Every structure is written in structure tokens, then in C-alpha cells.
Amino acid sequence: MAGYSAWNEESARSIIASLAHLEGATLPMLHALQDEFGYVSPQAVPLIAEALNLSRAEVHGAITFYHDFRTAPPPGRVIKLCRAEACQSLGCEAVVAELEREHGITVDGAPVGDAMVETVYCLGNCALGPSALVDGELIGRVDAARIAGLCQHGKAHS
């Protein structure tokens, strides 16, 4: 899990305490924890609940409501495939179908090796769709073969 610290309760408590003064602090806390550890550990739920005087259910509800929060460490590579209207009109749903049919890769499913493909809605690259975001690099006109290759290899070849 390159780039992320290992889960550490003391660090998590420090992050939570540093943001507890904010109005509507739940989301900033969740984002900060995910930025630090790569995910929001279920162990953070009672810490946030206590700091903000919320129920654990309220904190858990915020985590599960927003698609981008993870509750387990991410795989080594996450490929975000745009499935918004413009990319739909340029064939992203055919890419999704071909990924599953030809490559055994389910978008928003289990990781394939050390990679996974997730849905995102709009990367702002509408004219060059379907688009994907790979390792922070925006790639236009992707097809299923290219995404499958990105799942198998360590570097994006744009």
C-alpha cells in the first residue's frame, strides 16, 4: 500500500482531535483519515462518534453513504472509469460489459490481482470519453483492452 501509513489508533486520534472544532467535522475527519491510511478503519468509527457526540450508526452511515470512502485498505492500483452521461454516449457501458465478458473484470467488484476498477461520475474529459483516471493521470478514449492491461501492469501507458 504505497503512499499510506499503516493504521495507527494514536495517529487517528490526533487527526480526529485536530478537526473536531470544525462545524460539520464528520466529512473532513473521514477524508483526512482516508488520506492518511488509504481507508477509514472501522476502528475509527467509535473514535469519531465520541469526539463529535454522534452515534456509531451516524458515523457508519456517513462512511457508507459516500461512495469514495473505503473501509479496507485499497489495492495497489485503483482505476476510476467515468460512467457519466457524456462517457455513456461515447461507449463506456460497452467497455464495462466487455471488461466483464472478455476479461473477467467487474467494475465496482472485487480487485483483480492488485488492481480494481471503480465507477466515477465525470472526470471533466467529456470530449475524449470514455475516460479513466489511473495513478492520477487522466486518460481519454479508453477501451476494455487498455483497462484490462492497466489492471495487469504496474504503470499506465498513455
Side-chain angles (χ1 to χ4, degrees):
M1 219 173 39
Y4 295 116
S5 300
W7 167 255
N8 177 291
E9 185 174 330
E10 185 177 322
S11 295
R13 284 184 184 278
S14 176
I15 290 167
I16 291 166
S18 73
L19 298 170
H21 70 282
L22 297 175
E23 187 173 334
T26 305
L27 289 178
M29 285 178 182
L30 295 174
H31 282 291
L33 290 168
Q34 186 153 296
D35 288 348
E36 179 69 22
F37 304 114
Y39 68 109
V40 179
S41 172
Q43 296 175 45
V45 172
L47 304 178
I48 295 169
E50 181 181 338
L52 298 179
N53 195 29
L54 298 172
S55 71
R56 291 178 185 194
E58 289 173 300
V59 176
H60 177 75
I63 294 168
T64 57
F65 179 80
Y66 295 100
H67 188 267
D68 280 342
F69 292 125
R70 303 178 185 288
T71 56
R77 169 173 277 174
V78 177
I79 299 167
K80 295 186 179 266
L81 177 64
C82 181
R83 294 177 73 181
E85 290 82 358
C87 284
Q88 285 179 23
S89 72
L90 294 169
C92 74
E93 294 308 313
V95 170
V96 169
E98 186 178 336
L99 278 170
E100 186 154 9
R101 183 180 65 249
E102 301 295 326
H103 303 282
I105 298 169
T106 301
V107 176
D108 298 321
V112 176
D114 197 30
M116 70 182 305
V117 182
E118 291 183 339
T119 295
V120 66
Y121 291 98
C122 199
L123 292 168
N125 197 35
C126 304
L128 297 175
S131 297
L133 189 64
V134 183
D135 299 334
E137 182 179 351
L138 184 61
I139 301 172
R141 297 192 174 112
V142 295
D143 58 21
R146 184 150 189 213
I147 292 175
L150 290 166
C151 286
Q152 304 304 322
H153 302 299
K155 285 198 157 240
H157 303 320
S158 56

